[in-house]
Amino acid sequence: MTSYEKLFDRLGLRDWCDADAADSPMSMAQLLAQTNEGNAESSGTLPFPSLDTLHEACNAFPQTRDMTISVEQGFLSIKDSLKFVLDPLTQPLSWILEGALFTFMATPWWILIPLLVLATWLATRTVSITVFVASVFLFFGVIDHLDVALQTLSIIFVCTGFSVLFGVPIGIMMSRSDRMQQIMLPILDMLQTLPSFVYLIPLIFLFSVTEPKLYGIAIILYAIVPVIRLTDLGIRLVEKDVIEAADAFGMTDRQKLYGVQLPLALPNIMAGVNQTIMMSLAMVVIASLVSAPGLGVLVLRGIRNLELGVGLVAGFGIVLLAVVLDRCSKAALQRIDPTHKTD
């Protein structure tokens, strides 16, 4: 630090450095040191000075903490306006999640489970998968995990439904407009690479932790990306010869979309729905941090209380649900498109 102070003095910048000297927030190293036994020393391994080091030598340089505080203040300054707009728009998601949870919990198991098994049979027409689904529900019942498994399933159904409801139209718009694709791709890249926990940070400031839409929005934002990408890709991969033939028959854009492009893109769209289901399940445990019920709560309990068996069995239950939904969606896709090969 001393060497940098001398450098600024020799350059004649001392007056500039001290012009706006004021109380500064603690540095990033000091902030992190609060949870590290008071050790505020930086690693010092970088071949160049950090902002905090330059700030210590010259007050005119901002600290890293100045940037994080600006982000916090910027978000807090628009929080009330954002909440005023988003609250009524997202309230239906809370109602639907509460309704789905109530329906799955209030319906007697001897009605709900046969209905789910019947739905599996109608969607797949495959005896082995139907028997497997029935066996999984029987297993959950035997180990007293049926209620939490059904809670997780209801959340997945609702969030996947919303993801498809919004994702497919966005994918269609991207496929019909290069400009729209250029705008959406960076957003999708960000949603796909943003760490899962980071989704919760702004949502916690906007909504109450007890509101179901808090975890519902987090799951939808995390899971919606595949269905958008694969809808766009599927429509763009439709052969040009087929589109030219549709043009030769005088089909309008709407007729081409619903009569040619969407049917041919359906295998890709269904693959996107399958991936969306898997990503929704991956987010369930993290969403349980903000009051999402289901198997994720048991996984967190296992971590928090070091109850190894509780956490592992609940995690295995999530895997079973993922396998069930994966096999059902792939079998349903194969019924729609017999040429589609499943793993």
Side-chain angles (χ1 to χ4, degrees), residues 168-216:
V168 172
I170 294 173
I172 292 172
M173 286 190 285
M174 286 175 63
S175 69
R176 298 168 77 84
S177 167
D178 290 340
R179 179 64 61 86
M180 180 73 178
Q181 189 188 46
Q182 290 171 355
I183 294 172
M184 286 301 300
L185 281 180
I187 298 173
L188 296 178
D189 290 341
M190 183 193 72
L191 290 176
Q192 202 159 22
T193 55
L194 203 63
S196 311
F197 285 97
V198 179
Y199 284 95
L200 300 178
I201 297 173
L203 294 175
I204 288 171
F205 281 89
L206 287 174
F207 307 115
S208 167
V209 176
T210 58
E211 292 180 289
K213 60 187 174 185
L214 171 55
Y215 62 79

Side-chain angles (χ1 to χ4, degrees), residues 88-154:
L89 289 177
T90 55
Q91 190 56 39
L93 177 61
S94 273
W95 293 334
I96 294 173
L97 280 167
E98 287 173 342
L101 282 168
F102 175 78
T103 302
F104 273 66
M105 292 297 96
T107 307
W109 69 268
W110 43 270
I111 295 178
L112 184 60
I113 300 305
L115 283 177
L116 291 173
V117 174
L118 177 63
T120 303
W121 167 251
L122 293 176
T124 63
R125 299 286 185 181
T126 307
V127 175
S128 59
I129 293 177
T130 306
V131 171
F132 174 65
V133 170
S135 303
V136 168
F137 284 125
L138 177 63
F139 173 71
F140 280 129
V142 168
I143 63 171
D144 289 329
H145 279 52
L146 186 59
D147 285 348
V148 285
L150 291 176
Q151 287 173 343
T152 298
L153 204 57
S154 68

Side-chain angles (χ1 to χ4, degrees), residues 23 33 37 57 79 83 86-87 110 114 157 175 177-178 182 202-203 223 245 269 271 289 319 332 336:
D23 292 337
E37 298 180 354
K79 187 192 79 169
K83 184 177 173 60
L86 290 180
D87 236 355
W110 43 270
F157 282 161
S175 69
S177 167
D178 290 340
Q182 290 171 355
L203 294 175
I269 296 173
L289 285 169
V319 173
I336 296 170

